[in-house]
Amino acid sequence: MNTEYLTKKTVVSFFVLVLFLSGQSFLLANEPDSAYIFVYGAAKNNHHNGLHVAWSLDKQTWHPVGTEHSFVKSDYGPWGAEKKMIDPFLFRAPDGIWHCVWSLNNEDGAFGYASSTDLLTWNRQSYPLVLSTGNCLKPMIAYDDTNDVYTISWTSDKEHNQAYFVTTKDFKHYSPAKKATVFLPRTEKVALPDGQQSGTLHKVAWHTVDNVIKAQQLAAYKTKLNSERMTDDDQRFSTLKDVKATINVNQNTTRQISDLLVGIFFEDINYAADGGLYAELIQNRGFEYSPNIRKEWDNLTAWNVYDAHSKLSIDTVSPIHINNKHYVTVEASAGGGLYNEGFGGIAVRANEKYNLSLFARAPEANIANLLIRLEDANGKTIGQATIKRLTKAWKKHELTVIPTVTAENAKLVIQLQEAGKVNLDMVSLFPQNTFRNRRNGLRADLAQAIADMKPRFVRFPGGCVAHGNGIENIYHWKHTIGPLETRKPQRNLWGYHQSYGLGYFEYFQFCEDLGAEPIPVVAAGVPCQNSAHNGHPLAGQQCGIPMEEMGDYVQDILDLIEYANGDVHTVWGKKRAEAGHPEPFNLKYIGVGNEDLITDIFEERFTMIYDAIKEKYPEIHVIGTAGPFYEGTDYVEGWKLATKLHVPYMDEHYYNPPGWYIHNQDFYDKYDRSKAKVYLGEYAAHIPGRASTIETALAEALHLCNIERNGDIVAMTSYAPLLAKIGNTQWNPDLIYFDNTEVKPTVGYYVQQLFGQHAGNAYIFSDLQLNNSDDNVRKRIGKSIVRDEVSGDIIMKLVNLLPVEVDVESNISELAVDSENIDATILSGTPADKDAKPIHATVNLDDFKLKPYSLTVIRFKEKT
Ligand code: AHR
């Protein structure tokens, strides 16, 4: 072993153990009673670094706590452009509570507010809108103890530095803003090693300083652990060899675990729906693309004139349906027309049947026939059909086309047979060969890759897509059902178009086809916490559906449950039956909210929805939301609210580096079993460059082993995101990449697949002994042994995150009918490997070896 490394590591660990992890105060022999803190927000990193603290005994020599360490950050507006904390002002009230206000940007007439009892944990933030035209710069707090009133004053440079103030007793309700005659900044300037800063000065008990210092040190230590990478293993484990693990299985100590543990989260991100899982081959079939979504787009995107003489224009007069306003008018001579290029080409297979449909109208009744052809990249016709007798009114025409050859890059050409004018809309080319041969169904190969994971549930339609970028972008399920031409397309917040051809009916049907529980997610009456506010705070993340409209919104959610489960005589059950599914879909769970900012606005709306569902459908399990991280204000406040309301399930999200999964293996062992169960709705291991590699996949496998042990409290998990179309990806890594013809699963996919295919319903406890006492080694071996009561199999999953083989001895053979030549599946490679695939092998249960950097799944029949 590298002794220098060990020595450094031992010193750090000892330091950490003594100072932080014991949770005890480390008393100095000679510590002051009090000290000064200076609290400020540096402009560095465009004001994104939040609230900083420095301390001093004499107001002369200052010690910044950490380098750019943030004690609280602003959560206002979208990541990147906003979330700035400008000129924070901290005020300590007589009751000891710290109140902080700050300026959000140079535009908005709102300021940021948060409070804390200890400067370490901060309560939910609010951004009161106090001015409709001016901005709020350098906000400050003063307190009048005779009336127990706080005054917040600020200046607005949009109005020639006019000063304003509001008063409040509770930082929730504010008086209307009034103009003030003077604005006297009460901030101090302090010279710090990094330069002069402006902020507030406070005299505090020494233990406040001590706690602040320790909190920063602990945070820095955790960051260091979490950022451990396998690229450092050469050094970390340079002398490691002959690792031997002994696993003693205690078959009598078991824990019932959820049988829904591994599912999927489908979100329309990365062209996952249109151009992806939804098998439609025509892009912009309804002529509804718009520059409001992408500036280079218009209603004719993906469409082109077939010859130079043809003319295409977009009309809206008497459309097929008001939700599908635009259609194309083609004016051409005989043989002229237009073509669609699909989603980067149309891929068709020889001799397979394709349903071609379109709505057509010949306004002047002078066109008789349309010729429709599939043309390959060389302009050769590879399939065709004719539409005869166009009518003056809109009419839907349906045909079948059978390509004679396979082509990856075909286009669909529509030609007028005689000169004239025709209106066209909802032009569709759909393979008959869809997953389970559904009409308007899903791409068979992609859906099969998903089915091969054996997902126990499907969460849909988002993610951020569910709560939308601003109120007007919230996903409304009712816009996504019924005949395709009546669905109301929507801007996808990931920067493209949602036709909603894959809508709620198709989602429910897909779940049924997979044998998976449907878990729809509806917005909690608030949009995405990352919504842009376009200059008006009430239009962005801080808005909620106005309370006077919430009744209708809640009713929509109740209607969704009726659509899924109601009998055919109910209003919405009837619509499901009309769509071809009279039997209920058996909905049991519904997610309300998606990693929202937990604010008072959120709480009011979430509670309203939750109470309404509980009252009308007490059998439905509501899943609440705990923010986008595994810690922090939204996580804490989300859980507090869930505990208060007795919400039965909580959706957690985190995307962490591999080191986090290695160093937080007891994350769920600490969870209170009497509170809500966890649905880990989104997670993945992220490394710089955001690839899915053996390193990330094994970190995820390790986490899943720890989750199986906690399968009593963690009810469900889903990796995120699921799908990504190559060349149209907004987020990496994803589980399955694809193009128009190929499906390319990642290493992470195989981990999910192995855990999905080899799930169990009872966890069998065991202990692991190593011939090596280094904690770093111990933490890199994961195990989970489960019993699948349905098949009568025992499944052992072992993860080796070490660069060396591990020799395993175990008494597990006592459980097996036969302990030799047992089937094993092994996923292994080098840490950076992106192409590893599972291989099959046989092992002897008493004695086998784990490959370096591997996941091994062993399955065998249990002795009865
Ligand atoms: O999974 C991608 C995105 O990550 C989801 O839309 C959102 O919920 C999270 O921020």
Side-chain angles (χ1 to χ4, degrees):
M1 175 129 356
N2 179 331
T3 46
E4 189 199 12
Y5 185 82
L6 231 197
T7 313
K8 269 191 210 151
K9 192 205 72 184
T10 314
V11 169
V12 172
S13 308
F14 177 73
F15 180 63
V16 166
L17 265 177
V18 172
L19 278 181
F20 322 126
L21 299 182
S22 70
Q24 302 296 313
S25 275
F26 183 66
L27 290 179
L28 285 177
N30 173 9
E31 66 175 24
D33 291 338
S34 63
Y36 296 95
I37 56 171
F38 174 64
V39 182
Y40 61 103
K44 230 181 193 168
N45 193 17
N46 201 11
H47 297 281
H48 283 117
N49 289 0
L51 196 71
H52 299 336
V53 176
W55 66 271
S56 170
L57 290 184
D58 55 8
K59 293 207 255 181
Q60 302 296 321
T61 308
W62 286 95
H63 309 270
V65 181
T67 306
E68 290 293 313
H69 179 79
S70 160
F71 287 87
V72 59
K73 286 187 174 177
S74 176
D75 228 328
Y76 181 78
W79 280 300
E82 301 251 4
K83 302 212 190 295
K84 296 178 188 173
M85 182 175 273
I86 307 169
D87 297 327
F89 185 97
L90 189 71
F91 179 82
R92 191 179 202 185
D95 58 4
I97 298 197
W98 297 96
H99 298 275
C100 185
V101 289
W102 64 93
S103 179
L104 301 164
N105 53 36
N106 274 332
E107 302 305 319
D108 299 343
F111 57 83
Y113 168 76
S115 67
S116 170
T117 52
D118 56 7
L119 296 174
L120 308 179
T121 308
W122 290 83
N123 298 322
R124 43 177 92 160
Q125 299 186 2
S126 58
Y127 315 99
L129 179 66
V130 284
L131 276 187
S132 51
T133 49
N135 51 3
C136 284
L137 304 182
K138 302 188 191 307
M140 298 187 305
I141 305 176
Y143 177 64
D144 165 7
D145 57 356
T146 46
N147 296 311
D148 187 25
V149 164
Y150 297 90
T151 301
I152 294 105
S153 52
W154 68 92
T155 170
S156 166
D157 75 354
K158 277 191 177 173
E159 294 161 288
H160 312 292
N161 297 328
Q162 172 64 52
Y164 284 95
F165 70 95
V166 290
T167 57
T168 182
K169 277 181 172 279
D170 56 6
F171 290 92
K172 285 180 189 288
H173 306 93
Y174 295 86
S175 65
K178 285 196 179 144
K179 289 188 174 170
T181 42
V182 281
F183 182 74
L184 292 177
R186 285 184 291 110
T187 46
E188 312 265 349
K189 293 206 182 321
V190 162
L192 295 175
D194 251 7
Q196 181 168 275
Q197 299 291 348
S198 153
T200 55
L201 257 181
H202 311 264
K203 187 169 183 185
V204 294
W206 172 253
H207 70 80
T208 302
V209 178
D210 197 35
N211 288 341
V212 159
I213 293 172
K214 284 177 181 162
Q216 181 276 324
Q217 287 173 332
L218 178 56
Y221 174 67
K222 283 184 175 174
T223 305
K224 188 167 182 277
L225 288 184
N226 294 348
S227 57
E228 278 179 10
R229 294 286 313 277
M230 288 181 186
T231 37
D232 305 327
D233 282 353
D234 281 353
Q235 187 195 18
R236 185 179 294 114
F237 299 117
S238 61
T239 56
L240 186 66
K241 58 179 183 196
D242 301 332
V243 182
K244 194 162 190 156
T246 309
I247 298 174
N248 286 308
V249 182
N250 184 352
Q251 57 170 304
N252 298 322
T253 315
T254 60
R255 173 184 268 173
Q256 216 48 37
I257 61 178
S258 163
D259 53 6
L260 294 183
L261 214 49
V262 180
I264 57 161
F265 162 44
F266 177 90
E267 175 169 25
D268 186 3
I269 181 173
N270 310 315
Y271 273 64
D274 292 338
L277 186 60
Y278 182 53
E280 174 63 80
L281 293 168
I282 302 300
Q283 182 170 199
N284 190 16
R285 68 180 175 196
F287 302 94
E288 300 297 331
Y289 275 27
S290 137
N292 296 335
I293 303 177
R294 265 194 204 173
K295 59 180 184 322
E296 68 273 21
W297 275 2
D298 59 29
N299 299 82
L300 284 170
T301 295
W303 292 96
N304 294 289
V305 281
Y306 184 61
D307 64 320
H309 308 296
S310 303
K311 235 181 83 191
L312 306 181
S313 55
I314 293 295
D315 282 326
T316 54
V317 181
S318 306
I320 318 171
H321 193 274
I322 190 65
N323 288 343
N324 177 19
K325 281 205 265 297
H326 301 91
Y327 56 87
V328 69
T329 297
V330 190
E331 280 184 82
S333 30
L338 74 172
Y339 70 87
N340 187 278
E341 62 202 28
F343 293 91
I346 296 176
V348 288
R349 284 177 204 254
N351 305 322
E352 289 198 2
K353 290 187 178 155
Y354 290 81
N355 294 333
L356 182 116
S357 66
L358 54 77
F359 281 78
R361 174 169 79 175
E364 292 156 11
N366 55 353
I367 300 284
N369 302 330
L370 293 178
L371 174 66
I372 315 223
R373 291 188 303 110
L374 271 170
E375 227 181 64
D376 73 6
N378 302 318
K380 191 172 148 227
T381 301
I382 57 168
Q384 68 176 52
T386 310
I387 292 180
K388 297 201 167 131
R389 288 183 294 281
L390 295 190
T391 47
K392 259 189 140 177
W394 284 114
K395 183 175 170 205
K396 185 172 183 183
H397 300 267
E398 295 179 275
L399 306 158
T400 306
V401 185
I402 305 178
T404 47
V405 292
T406 294
E408 284 189 10
N409 212 359
K411 53 191 180 198
L412 185 81
V413 183
I414 306 176
Q415 287 169 288
L416 277 58
Q417 298 281 62
E418 297 90 30
K421 199 191 236 185
V422 64
N423 301 149
L424 299 173
D425 204 353
M426 293 302 287
V427 181
S428 169
L429 184 71
F430 224 99
Q432 285 188 7
N433 172 22
T434 57
F435 186 61
R436 305 277 191 268
N437 297 320
R438 298 287 181 199
R439 256 192 114 81
N440 193 46
L442 306 180
R443 210 177 115 171
D445 54 353
L446 264 181
Q448 191 55 52
I450 294 171
D452 291 345
M453 292 163 66
K454 272 194 99 184
R456 302 304 197 276
F457 65 86
V458 182
R459 173 180 186 245
F460 61 89
C464 291
V465 157
H467 56 181
N469 184 355
I471 292 182
E472 86 298 340
N473 192 235
I474 285 177
Y475 193 104
H476 290 283
W477 74 272
K478 286 182 181 170
H479 296 169
T480 76
I481 60 161
L484 297 176
E485 65 279 10
T486 69
R487 299 186 186 185
K488 197 173 178 181
Q490 164 75 301
R491 166 176 69 92
N492 181 313
L493 98 171
W494 296 108
Y496 56 97
H497 179 87
Q498 301 176 88
S499 73
Y500 286 151
L502 170 52
Y504 256 73
F505 181 82
E506 291 76 21
Y507 281 124
F508 279 133
Q509 192 164 62
F510 184 40
C511 295
E512 193 170 85
D513 287 344
L514 291 171
E517 297 289 346
I519 305 190
V521 179
V522 294
V526 296
C528 180
Q529 86 292 92
N530 199 30
S531 294
H533 53 71
N534 301 323
H536 195 290
L538 293 186
Q541 57 160 192
Q542 261 312 286
C543 59
I545 294 177
M547 284 312 280
E548 61 276 16
E549 292 169 28
M550 272 303 287
D552 287 349
Y553 182 68
V554 171
Q555 188 57 48
D556 277 355
I557 296 172
L558 299 178
D559 292 345
L560 169 59
I561 300 172
E562 185 175 290
Y563 181 74
N565 292 354
D567 87 42
V568 296
H569 303 296
T570 60
V571 175
W572 292 98
K574 186 163 176 253
K575 291 194 193 293
R576 182 194 68 240
E578 283 163 3
H581 202 285
E583 302 77 27
F585 280 119
N586 254 316
L587 179 70
K588 301 189 187 89
Y589 302 89
I590 187 164
V592 178
N594 172 63
E595 60 172 48
D596 297 291
L597 192 68
I598 309 295
T599 59
D600 295 350
I601 295 170
F602 169 88
E603 175 167 353
E604 192 177 17
R605 286 156 183 78
F606 177 88
T607 307
M608 202 172 160
I609 298 167
Y610 176 65
D611 287 347
I613 297 176
K614 228 173 60 169
E615 194 187 326
K616 183 141 192 218
Y617 296 108
E619 70 284 9
I620 296 286
H621 305 290
V622 171
I623 304 174
T625 181
F629 306 114
Y630 65 90
E631 62 179 3
T633 303
D634 296 328
Y635 172 76
V636 173
E637 291 287 320
W639 270 96
K640 265 196 214 159
L641 179 61
T643 306
K644 181 171 109 183
L645 298 178
H646 303 290
V647 177
Y649 289 85
M650 282 301 280
D651 178 17
E652 296 189 345
H653 296 177
Y654 40 80
Y655 297 91
N656 295 330
W660 186 88
Y661 298 95
I662 293 172
H663 293 288
N664 287 277
Q665 298 194 45
D666 58 354
F667 190 70
Y668 291 115
D669 294 272
K670 294 178 274 195
Y671 271 46
D672 180 347
R673 268 52 187 171
S674 70
K675 292 189 178 154
K677 287 191 189 296
V678 175
Y679 167 26
L680 175 53
E682 296 183 23
Y683 76 102
H686 281 183
I687 52 174
R690 302 274 284 260
S692 173
T693 61
I694 275 286
E695 177 173 18
T696 58
L698 293 184
E700 288 148 11
L702 183 70
H703 198 46
L704 283 171
C705 283
N706 294 316
I707 283 177
E708 285 193 333
R709 182 177 66 254
N710 285 288
D712 59 331
I713 182 78
V714 183
M716 296 171 268
T717 62
S718 45
Y719 178 101
L722 179 67
L723 296 179
K725 184 160 196 177
I726 295 163
N728 289 284
T729 300
Q730 296 86 46
W731 182 292
N732 288 299
D734 304 283
L735 218 48
I736 304 171
Y737 289 81
F738 62 91
D739 57 25
N740 284 345
T741 52
E742 265 188 275
V743 175
K744 302 176 181 183
T746 57
V747 195
Y749 167 87
Y750 292 112
V751 167
Q752 297 293 319
Q753 192 191 54
L754 287 169
F755 276 80
Q757 290 179 349
H758 299 286
N761 35 20
Y763 181 84
I764 305 175
F765 282 84
S766 60
D767 64 55
L768 175 98
Q769 273 155 23
L770 285 183
N771 65 343
N772 187 306
S773 57
D774 182 354
D775 207 34
N776 271 316
V777 173
R778 189 185 56 79
K779 281 183 169 174
R780 281 165 171 80
I781 300 174
K783 65 168 172 53
S784 169
I785 302 169
V786 296
R787 172 179 287 128
D788 174 34
E789 281 157 7
V790 180
S791 61
D793 288 355
I794 299 282
I795 301 144
M796 174 150 77
K797 302 178 186 96
L798 295 160
V799 189
N800 177 16
L801 286 94
L802 293 168
V804 297
E805 268 186 354
V806 174
D807 203 340
V808 180
E809 269 184 16
S810 171
N811 67 342
I812 196 160
S813 57
E814 289 168 16
L815 296 182
V817 173
D818 178 4
S819 65
E820 286 179 14
N821 294 320
I822 299 291
D823 272 347
T825 312
I826 301 164
L827 179 67
S828 69
T830 58
D833 195 344
K834 294 184 196 157
D835 300 314
K837 290 191 177 30
I839 50 151
H840 292 283
T842 50
V843 295
N844 176 342
L845 284 183
D846 294 318
D847 189 4
F848 56 92
K849 286 187 184 354
L850 302 180
K851 287 187 163 197
Y853 298 124
S854 63
L855 163 65
T856 303
V857 180
I858 298 170
R859 185 173 189 132
F860 57 86
K861 280 273 164 265
E862 185 174 16
K863 210 189 273 172
T864 46

mmCIF file of all heavy atoms in Angstrom, residues 265 267 269 463-465 494 594-595 653 655 682 720-721 731, ligand 1:
data_model
loop_
_atom_site.group_PDB
_atom_site.id
_atom_site.type_symbol
_atom_site.label_atom_id
_atom_site.label_comp_id
_atom_site.label_asym_id
_atom_site.label_seq_id
_atom_site.Cartn_x
_atom_site.Cartn_y
_atom_site.Cartn_z
ATOM 1 N N PHE A 265 -38.711 5.810 -15.755
ATOM 2 C CA PHE A 265 -39.251 7.163 -15.805
ATOM 3 C C PHE A 265 -39.156 7.612 -17.253
ATOM 4 O O PHE A 265 -38.074 7.823 -17.778
ATOM 5 C CB PHE A 265 -38.437 8.070 -14.880
ATOM 6 C CG PHE A 265 -38.607 9.533 -15.159
ATOM 7 C CD1 PHE A 265 -39.860 10.081 -15.406
ATOM 8 C CD2 PHE A 265 -37.519 10.383 -15.160
ATOM 9 C CE1 PHE A 265 -40.015 11.434 -15.674
ATOM 10 C CE2 PHE A 265 -37.662 11.745 -15.424
ATOM 11 C CZ PHE A 265 -38.902 12.254 -15.686
ATOM 12 N N GLU A 267 -39.749 10.459 -19.833
ATOM 13 C CA GLU A 267 -40.042 11.881 -20.042
ATOM 14 C C GLU A 267 -39.771 12.219 -21.495
ATOM 15 O O GLU A 267 -38.815 11.707 -22.098
ATOM 16 C CB GLU A 267 -39.159 12.747 -19.143
ATOM 17 C CG GLU A 267 -39.371 14.234 -19.445
ATOM 18 C CD GLU A 267 -38.742 15.177 -18.435
ATOM 19 O OE1 GLU A 267 -37.766 14.793 -17.776
ATOM 20 O OE2 GLU A 267 -39.239 16.314 -18.329
ATOM 21 N N ILE A 269 -38.002 14.110 -23.252
ATOM 22 C CA ILE A 269 -36.785 14.925 -23.294
ATOM 23 C C ILE A 269 -35.924 14.253 -24.361
ATOM 24 O O ILE A 269 -36.121 13.069 -24.646
ATOM 25 C CB ILE A 269 -36.114 14.919 -21.897
ATOM 26 C CG1 ILE A 269 -34.841 15.774 -21.843
ATOM 27 C CG2 ILE A 269 -35.776 13.526 -21.426
ATOM 28 C CD1 ILE A 269 -34.259 15.920 -20.409
ATOM 29 N N GLY A 463 -41.021 14.595 -14.622
ATOM 30 C CA GLY A 463 -40.021 15.516 -15.053
ATOM 31 C C GLY A 463 -40.576 16.931 -15.251
ATOM 32 O O GLY A 463 -41.738 17.253 -15.009
ATOM 33 N N CYS A 464 -39.646 17.729 -15.685
ATOM 34 C CA CYS A 464 -39.971 19.132 -15.922
ATOM 35 C C CYS A 464 -41.099 19.283 -16.940
ATOM 36 O O CYS A 464 -41.853 20.242 -16.886
ATOM 37 C CB CYS A 464 -38.724 19.873 -16.379
ATOM 38 S SG CYS A 464 -37.530 20.006 -15.058
ATOM 39 N N VAL A 465 -41.216 18.318 -17.865
ATOM 40 C CA VAL A 465 -42.297 18.409 -18.850
ATOM 41 C C VAL A 465 -43.660 18.429 -18.150
ATOM 42 O O VAL A 465 -44.594 19.081 -18.614
ATOM 43 C CB VAL A 465 -42.196 17.234 -19.855
ATOM 44 C CG1 VAL A 465 -43.519 16.942 -20.522
ATOM 45 C CG2 VAL A 465 -41.141 17.550 -20.907
ATOM 46 N N TRP A 494 -38.110 21.380 -23.243
ATOM 47 C CA TRP A 494 -36.738 21.036 -23.635
ATOM 48 C C TRP A 494 -36.396 21.583 -25.018
ATOM 49 O O TRP A 494 -35.374 21.242 -25.598
ATOM 50 C CB TRP A 494 -36.543 19.513 -23.590
ATOM 51 C CG TRP A 494 -36.699 18.991 -22.185
ATOM 52 C CD1 TRP A 494 -37.739 18.270 -21.704
ATOM 53 C CD2 TRP A 494 -35.813 19.194 -21.081
ATOM 54 N NE1 TRP A 494 -37.562 18.002 -20.364
ATOM 55 C CE2 TRP A 494 -36.381 18.564 -19.952
ATOM 56 C CE3 TRP A 494 -34.595 19.857 -20.922
ATOM 57 C CZ2 TRP A 494 -35.776 18.565 -18.695
ATOM 58 C CZ3 TRP A 494 -33.993 19.851 -19.667
ATOM 59 C CH2 TRP A 494 -34.577 19.220 -18.585
ATOM 60 N N ASN A 594 -43.172 17.899 -9.139
ATOM 61 C CA ASN A 594 -41.902 17.351 -9.603
ATOM 62 C C ASN A 594 -40.777 18.231 -9.082
ATOM 63 O O ASN A 594 -40.625 19.343 -9.566
ATOM 64 C CB ASN A 594 -41.865 17.326 -11.135
ATOM 65 C CG ASN A 594 -40.488 16.957 -11.657
ATOM 66 O OD1 ASN A 594 -40.005 15.866 -11.404
ATOM 67 N ND2 ASN A 594 -39.848 17.878 -12.359
ATOM 68 N N GLU A 595 -40.068 17.750 -8.105
ATOM 69 C CA GLU A 595 -38.916 18.453 -7.510
ATOM 70 C C GLU A 595 -39.150 19.964 -7.429
ATOM 71 O O GLU A 595 -38.249 20.757 -7.700
ATOM 72 C CB GLU A 595 -37.609 18.102 -8.243
ATOM 73 C CG GLU A 595 -37.558 18.435 -9.723
ATOM 74 C CD GLU A 595 -36.181 18.238 -10.363
ATOM 75 O OE1 GLU A 595 -35.563 17.178 -10.159
ATOM 76 O OE2 GLU A 595 -35.725 19.164 -11.063
ATOM 77 N N HIS A 653 -35.147 13.097 -5.870
ATOM 78 C CA HIS A 653 -34.305 13.159 -7.072
ATOM 79 C C HIS A 653 -32.891 13.527 -6.676
ATOM 80 O O HIS A 653 -32.705 14.410 -5.846
ATOM 81 C CB HIS A 653 -34.790 14.265 -8.022
ATOM 82 C CG HIS A 653 -36.164 14.041 -8.571
ATOM 83 N ND1 HIS A 653 -36.792 14.936 -9.388
ATOM 84 C CD2 HIS A 653 -37.028 13.004 -8.439
ATOM 85 C CE1 HIS A 653 -37.984 14.482 -9.734
ATOM 86 N NE2 HIS A 653 -38.152 13.300 -9.155
ATOM 87 N N TYR A 655 -28.815 13.640 -8.771
ATOM 88 C CA TYR A 655 -27.831 13.228 -9.783
ATOM 89 C C TYR A 655 -26.473 13.528 -9.161
ATOM 90 O O TYR A 655 -26.072 14.694 -9.086
ATOM 91 C CB TYR A 655 -28.027 14.039 -11.066
ATOM 92 C CG TYR A 655 -29.381 13.818 -11.724
ATOM 93 C CD1 TYR A 655 -30.474 14.622 -11.415
ATOM 94 C CD2 TYR A 655 -29.556 12.795 -12.650
ATOM 95 C CE1 TYR A 655 -31.709 14.415 -12.016
ATOM 96 C CE2 TYR A 655 -30.786 12.586 -13.265
ATOM 97 C CZ TYR A 655 -31.859 13.395 -12.938
ATOM 98 O OH TYR A 655 -33.075 13.197 -13.543
ATOM 99 N N GLU A 682 -35.844 9.954 -9.748
ATOM 100 C CA GLU A 682 -34.796 10.319 -10.719
ATOM 101 C C GLU A 682 -33.457 10.208 -10.014
ATOM 102 O O GLU A 682 -33.263 10.790 -8.935
ATOM 103 C CB GLU A 682 -34.987 11.766 -11.197
ATOM 104 C CG GLU A 682 -36.268 11.995 -11.963
ATOM 105 C CD GLU A 682 -36.376 13.423 -12.490
ATOM 106 O OE1 GLU A 682 -35.341 14.086 -12.642
ATOM 107 O OE2 GLU A 682 -37.514 13.853 -12.730
ATOM 108 N N ALA A 720 -32.854 8.232 -14.459
ATOM 109 C CA ALA A 720 -33.317 9.299 -15.361
ATOM 110 C C ALA A 720 -32.145 9.950 -16.086
ATOM 111 O O ALA A 720 -31.064 10.051 -15.529
ATOM 112 C CB ALA A 720 -34.068 10.365 -14.565
ATOM 113 N N PRO A 721 -32.436 10.439 -17.307
ATOM 114 C CA PRO A 721 -33.592 10.141 -18.142
ATOM 115 C C PRO A 721 -33.436 8.786 -18.853
ATOM 116 O O PRO A 721 -32.361 8.193 -18.849
ATOM 117 C CB PRO A 721 -33.598 11.261 -19.169
ATOM 118 C CG PRO A 721 -32.686 12.332 -18.651
ATOM 119 C CD PRO A 721 -31.667 11.582 -17.839
ATOM 120 N N TRP A 731 -29.777 16.303 -22.593
ATOM 121 C CA TRP A 731 -29.345 15.878 -21.260
ATOM 122 C C TRP A 731 -28.573 14.571 -21.411
ATOM 123 O O TRP A 731 -29.027 13.656 -22.088
ATOM 124 C CB TRP A 731 -30.589 15.644 -20.393
ATOM 125 C CG TRP A 731 -30.330 15.247 -18.980
ATOM 126 C CD1 TRP A 731 -29.798 14.067 -18.544
ATOM 127 C CD2 TRP A 731 -30.610 16.008 -17.808
ATOM 128 N NE1 TRP A 731 -29.726 14.052 -17.188
ATOM 129 C CE2 TRP A 731 -30.219 15.229 -16.707
ATOM 130 C CE3 TRP A 731 -31.157 17.270 -17.588
ATOM 131 C CZ2 TRP A 731 -30.360 15.672 -15.395
ATOM 132 C CZ3 TRP A 731 -31.302 17.705 -16.283
ATOM 133 C CH2 TRP A 731 -30.907 16.918 -15.197
HETATM 134 O O1 AHR B 1 -34.424 13.897 -15.898
HETATM 135 C C1 AHR B 1 -34.225 15.142 -16.468
HETATM 136 C C2 AHR B 1 -34.766 16.267 -15.606
HETATM 137 O O2 AHR B 1 -34.105 16.289 -14.384
HETATM 138 C C3 AHR B 1 -36.213 16.142 -15.223
HETATM 139 O O3 AHR B 1 -37.053 16.661 -16.162
HETATM 140 C C4 AHR B 1 -36.292 16.966 -13.983
HETATM 141 O O4 AHR B 1 -37.279 16.506 -13.114
HETATM 142 C C5 AHR B 1 -34.905 16.912 -13.421
HETATM 143 O O5 AHR B 1 -34.404 18.170 -13.175
#
